[in-house]
Amino acid sequence: MTTEPTTEPTTEPTTEPTYPSFSRGPEIDAERFIDGFIDSIIDERIADIVAGYDPSDNTYVFLEGPRWSTKTGKRVAFGWGAFVDSPIRMHAKRWVEGPFSQISGSLGWIAGIIDLDVIAGGKPVQIRLRGTYVLHEHLPGVWGIVHEHFSQPMADPYGLGDWLPPT
């Protein structure tokens, strides 16, 4: 199992974050939020990426990458700083199923299957992932991702095939 890097950022932010427009508003539009968030990844706007998360210690992310998880808003921010310095660049996204969403009070979710076009180590790669985001209104009118899970189905984890009969 690969673990997270243990080096912490050496400085703390000295100012309050400026929240991007996709994360603010009296009523959240989950699809607009996630599309704006992913666009900030494509554009490598690190401040907007980080501000897209709930900064609390309750933030918990399951990545599509080699780590099992990243815990706390601070560690997620540190991880995104490392990502934008990595040899991975995202160029495009396409929802191929969904997105589907629901908001109730100060919590909501959005999920679907998404194709990402990336350059990884200088090579173009298209990756299809199922993704789920849980959103939380962590300040009045300010929403952030409190949980994220991206994955791909395993070929046959139980060795029994698909238990869902064809329709």
Side-chain angles (χ1 to χ4, degrees), residues 9-151:
T10 56
T11 59
E12 292 291 322
T14 56
T15 61
E16 287 296 310
T18 301
Y19 294 101
S21 63
F22 65 77
S23 71
R24 290 182 280 119
E27 294 183 22
I28 189 72
D29 176 332
E31 187 171 343
R32 181 177 158 268
F33 178 100
I34 292 303
D35 283 343
F37 174 75
I38 295 172
D39 287 346
S40 69
I41 297 169
I42 291 169
D43 297 339
E44 298 182 10
R45 296 188 319 264
I46 187 69
D48 288 353
I49 296 168
V50 170
Y53 286 89
D54 182 320
S56 77
D57 287 346
N58 294 324
T59 299
Y60 190 40
V61 173
F62 296 144
L63 309 172
E64 72 279 6
R67 257 172 290 120
W68 282 92
S69 67
T70 303
K71 300 172 201 161
T72 80
K74 183 177 180 180
R75 293 294 298 157
V76 169
F78 182 64
W80 277 111
F83 177 86
V84 297
D85 291 336
S86 79
I88 302 169
R89 296 291 173 264
M90 189 185 306
H91 290 282
K93 66 165 180 341
R94 283 173 305 290
W95 292 98
V96 295
E97 186 175 291
F100 306 101
S101 64
Q102 182 177 359
I103 303 292
S104 180
S106 64
L107 286 174
W109 61 269
I110 182 167
I113 298 175
I114 191 167
D115 283 344
L116 301 176
D117 295 336
V118 300
I119 301 293
K123 298 177 185 172
V125 177
Q126 185 180 81
I127 185 168
R128 179 166 287 180
L129 297 163
R130 52 190 175 197
T132 303
Y133 295 93
V134 177
L135 307 177
H136 176 240
E137 186 180 25
H138 58 94
L139 293 172
V142 180
W143 291 75
I145 298 163
V146 72
H147 178 67
E148 172 184 344
H149 183 154
F150 273 78
S151 63

